[in-house]
Amino acid sequence: MASTKVVNIPKGGFSFENCQRNNFMANQGFPAPKAVKTGTTIAGFIFKDGVILGADTRATEGNIVADKNCFKLHYMAPNIYCAGAGTAADLEMTTLQMSSQLELHRLNTGRQVKVATATRLLKQMLFRYQGHIGAALVLGGIDSTGPHVCCIYPHGSTDSLPFVAMGSGSLAAMAFLEAGWKPDMELADAKVLMRNAICGGIFNDLMSGSHVDLCVITREKAEMIRPFEVANVKGERQGSYRYPRGCTATLSTRVIPIEIESTVVRPVAEESMDTA
Amino acid sequence: MYANPNSIINPSLWPNGPAPGCFFKFPGTNVTSTSSNSGIITRTQSPVTTGTSILGLVFDGGVMLAGDMLGSYGSMAKFRSIERIVKVNNATVLGATGDIADFQHLKAIIEQKVIDEDCADDGFTLKPKALHTWLTRVLYNRRSKFDPLWNTFLVAGIEDGEPYLGCVDKIGTAFSDSKIATGYGAHIALPLMREALEKKPQMTKEEARALLISCLRVLFYRDCRALNKHQIATITKEGVTIENNIELDTNWEVANFVIGYE
């Protein structure tokens, strides 16, 4: 009897078939590995000419700094950028996937992608995974309807607000934003406010640190400023322990040159490949 | 007399209820016995009526404390005129976060201390650092008996002519600094206070007051258990002034920018 191969079309949605196995393994003493998180301070707000996004640059693995200068501002579309907090792998893959989906959408419709489209795609995906994808995002961009900033939570809820902050340093960043945000801020003031908000997270939250990256999105262009401010500089060594020449007195000098007795040149022929 | 409540000789009044002649275990309390054969219950280890953050700032010539006047009963804003910042004497002020009952208990003890000092009439008054140290010992000892006073205290005053600001929490961690915030204030207000003090370490009284009011405003926006009615206490060499019932002006214009959630 001929065996026919049946194409197995996978059902949509999250596949829960490994949950029983994972439970069994956890009971046997092999719990699931913990995801690597980025402790982060990210923020975004609307100013007069567009949207400004900011992030710190520290990636942590438990209590160790895994990357001193990682990049948390991800490209989504020419007019949309996204700052991400949460599990580093989840953020990277989610934003890459979404960026390609948005490009396909742009080619399909022939129009500039709207921020609401990116928000809708992201929240639909994140909700489908019921929060297991640890991606908390601050999406910012400018489209035909104006500038928008939206925060997207790992479980799939979204909040479109004039100013947002996410991550472990969000309380400190939000304090600065609440105290300093006004509608229709100028670019220079907006950069200073964003710098203050991210630095608030860098200096007051242990899981955020290093430098401040900024992304300014206006109608004309999206400008990535990395780093905007090098907030933490490695300390300079104050003294040198090298002994300068002449410290130790020379009693006597004897130079013994190496004399070349003979020179032999032997060419090495190219060996043919052994095809035995 | 201390028989099993379920025994026939001493039946309980209702199932799992109090039995005559026995200690009754209230549901929801943690029983920690100091000796192995006593079922004596120590007080609850969860706060009931709580106060949120207190902010403290040292300025040029004195100290300022600020806090709201709310006593939250869980998530209910039940008591809206609680004074969580109290004057101890002409050189010391005490502010408390956490359980209001524990704070009132200690407040009564401290008031009695001040009265005893008055009676002694020897020219010595309680100094802020002394009060801070005493509070640290009391709180640490209670924590070591697994029966903490569920509070974080801020002690502010003038110690030997210099401004002093100290903090103790419910497990006895004590420190002193030029800017301290307890509760949610530590996450929200302290970054703002640190930034301002880095720019200008010696603030004037007016600048300190403006900074504390802006911090209180941000706390009212972002802390669910905050109120917009405050107390501000100022301690200088001249003495202590506590202003009560200060209302905050808040700006809700942001609401005009929020339409929908996408």
Side-chain angles (χ1 to χ4, degrees):
Chain A
M1 261 202 316
S3 67
T4 37
K5 284 200 179 127
V6 180
V7 175
N8 191 9
I9 301 166
K11 278 195 275 209
F14 190 63
S15 162
F16 287 92
E17 59 189 26
N18 277 338
C19 287
Q20 195 184 32
R21 177 207 73 170
N22 292 345
N23 244 340
F24 171 74
M25 286 181 71
N27 290 336
Q28 296 294 308
F30 299 101
K34 286 220 164 66
V36 173
K37 296 179 96 144
T38 67
T40 302
T41 307
I42 52 173
F45 62 84
I46 297 174
F47 70 104
K48 184 164 146 229
D49 306 319
V51 164
I52 185 167
L53 297 174
D56 74 309
T57 60
R58 175 180 283 185
T60 49
E61 212 175 287
N63 284 331
I64 302 171
V65 177
D67 190 347
K68 284 187 286 191
N69 208 349
C70 77
F71 201 22
K72 301 189 189 181
L73 294 168
H74 307 276
Y75 166 88
M76 297 289 268
N79 59 322
I80 304 175
Y81 275 75
C82 175
T87 311
D90 287 343
L91 286 167
E92 202 48 53
M93 295 319 295
T94 304
T95 49
L96 280 174
Q97 280 176 354
M98 280 305 128
S99 162
S100 66
Q101 292 293 316
L102 289 173
E103 179 64 14
L104 287 171
H105 180 88
R106 187 183 72 79
L107 291 166
N108 216 342
T109 57
R111 298 190 178 100
Q112 189 192 49
V113 181
K114 286 200 173 50
V115 178
T117 314
T119 308
R120 189 65 79 92
L121 283 172
L122 273 164
K123 68 153 58 163
Q124 281 173 348
M125 184 195 129
L126 290 174
F127 182 73
R128 196 175 350 127
Y129 284 90
Q130 289 290 296
H132 289 285
I133 294 188
L137 305 155
V138 168
L139 194 71
I142 191 160
D143 58 31
S144 57
T145 55
H148 294 278
V149 161
C150 193
C151 61
I152 303 159
Y153 292 86
H155 283 263
S157 64
T158 56
D159 266 317
S160 181
L161 293 163
F163 56 92
V164 294
M166 303 275 270
S168 54
S170 65
L171 276 86
M174 186 49 88
F176 283 95
L177 291 177
E178 281 283 11
W181 187 86
K182 298 184 294 291
D184 287 331
M185 288 178 80
E186 293 294 330
L187 176 61
D189 295 333
K191 282 184 181 172
V192 168
L193 176 62
M194 183 53 87
R195 176 256 165 217
N196 285 341
I198 304 297
C199 281
I202 288 174
F203 293 118
N204 294 291
D205 175 40
L206 293 173
M207 307 307 270
S208 310
S210 295
H211 318 308
V212 182
D213 288 344
L214 280 195
C215 179
V216 179
I217 309 170
T218 51
R219 284 211 182 279
E220 298 83 52
K221 62 177 166 80
E223 191 193 342
M224 186 70 77
I225 311 169
R226 172 173 162 83
F228 176 72
E229 179 170 315
V230 177
N232 291 290
V233 187
K234 190 172 175 180
E236 293 272 321
R237 281 230 181 85
Q238 303 224 329
S240 172
Y241 289 95
R242 284 182 170 273
Y243 290 103
R245 272 184 187 279
C247 265
T248 313
T250 315
L251 296 175
S252 66
T253 316
R254 200 176 86 162
V255 175
I256 306 168
I258 298 169
E259 285 183 13
I260 299 167
E261 287 181 3
S262 70
T263 315
V264 173
V265 176
R266 189 164 24 118
V268 176
E270 199 180 293
E271 283 177 7
S272 60
M273 216 162 56
D274 186 357
T275 51
Chain B
M1 227 188 119
Y2 298 94
N4 186 340
N6 293 321
S7 76
I8 304 162
I9 305 165
N10 264 329
S12 51
L13 293 173
W14 56 83
N16 300 321
C22 293
F23 289 113
F24 176 59
K25 180 177 179 290
F26 280 90
T29 59
N30 295 311
V31 180
T32 51
S33 40
T34 46
S35 56
S36 53
N37 53 2
S38 77
I40 297 168
I41 299 147
T42 52
R43 289 185 209 93
T44 55
Q45 292 186 31
S46 50
V48 182
T49 308
T50 53
T52 184
S53 5
I54 297 265
L55 314 175
L57 196 60
V58 165
F59 61 91
D60 189 20
V63 199
M64 207 176 270
L65 282 191
D68 64 23
M69 300 185 71
L70 179 64
S72 310
Y73 191 65
S75 61
M76 178 188 177
K78 190 157 183 190
F79 305 105
R80 300 159 78 96
S81 292
I82 296 221
E83 288 182 20
R84 297 190 293 120
I85 299 178
V86 289
K87 172 177 161 176
V88 174
N89 58 32
N90 280 333
T92 325
V93 161
L94 179 70
T97 301
D99 191 57
I100 301 294
D102 286 343
F103 167 56
Q104 287 173 343
H105 167 72
L106 261 185
K107 192 169 88 143
I109 295 175
I110 292 171
E111 272 165 12
Q112 188 55 52
K113 253 188 188 311
V114 172
I115 291 171
D116 292 342
E117 231 172 38
D118 258 344
C119 293
D121 200 19
D122 52 7
F124 290 107
T125 50
L126 192 61
K127 291 205 259 192
K129 195 162 196 307
L131 179 64
H132 185 211
T133 314
W134 178 82
L135 271 175
T136 312
R137 299 268 55 80
V138 167
L139 290 172
Y140 184 73
N141 273 296
R142 288 292 297 258
R143 159 265 180 131
S144 303
K145 289 187 274 193
F146 285 93
D147 186 19
L149 286 165
W150 207 277
N151 291 108
T152 308
F153 289 103
L154 273 197
V155 177
I158 304 286
E159 169 95 17
D160 296 333
E162 293 300 316
Y164 180 83
L165 180 62
C167 177
V168 204
D169 74 4
K170 64 176 174 293
I171 52 173
T173 315
F175 60 95
S176 98
D177 200 356
S178 57
K179 60 250 172 250
I180 302 180
T182 61
Y184 266 102
H187 296 102
I188 297 177
L190 201 53
L192 292 165
M193 291 176 3
R194 279 178 180 162
E195 173 89 5
L197 270 176
E198 250 181 54
K199 287 206 185 99
K200 193 174 180 203
Q202 295 287 326
M203 289 189 153
T204 63
K205 189 163 36 162
E206 292 69 34
E207 284 170 344
R209 191 195 161 88
L211 173 64
L212 282 181
I213 286 184
S214 86
C215 289
L216 288 172
R217 187 179 299 118
V218 177
L219 276 173
F220 178 59
Y221 289 143
R222 292 283 160 177
D223 180 3
C224 290
R225 309 278 190 264
L227 193 65
N228 56 351
K229 197 165 86 156
H230 302 96
Q231 283 178 289
I232 296 188
T234 315
I235 310 103
T236 53
K237 288 192 188 59
E238 284 80 59
V240 170
T241 37
I242 303 186
E243 303 157 62
N244 290 335
N245 302 316
I246 299 168
E247 289 268 344
L248 264 187
D249 55 318
T250 49
N251 181 352
W252 297 98
E253 290 301 314
V254 182
N256 294 326
F257 295 94
V258 183
I259 306 162
Y261 53 84
E262 279 197 310

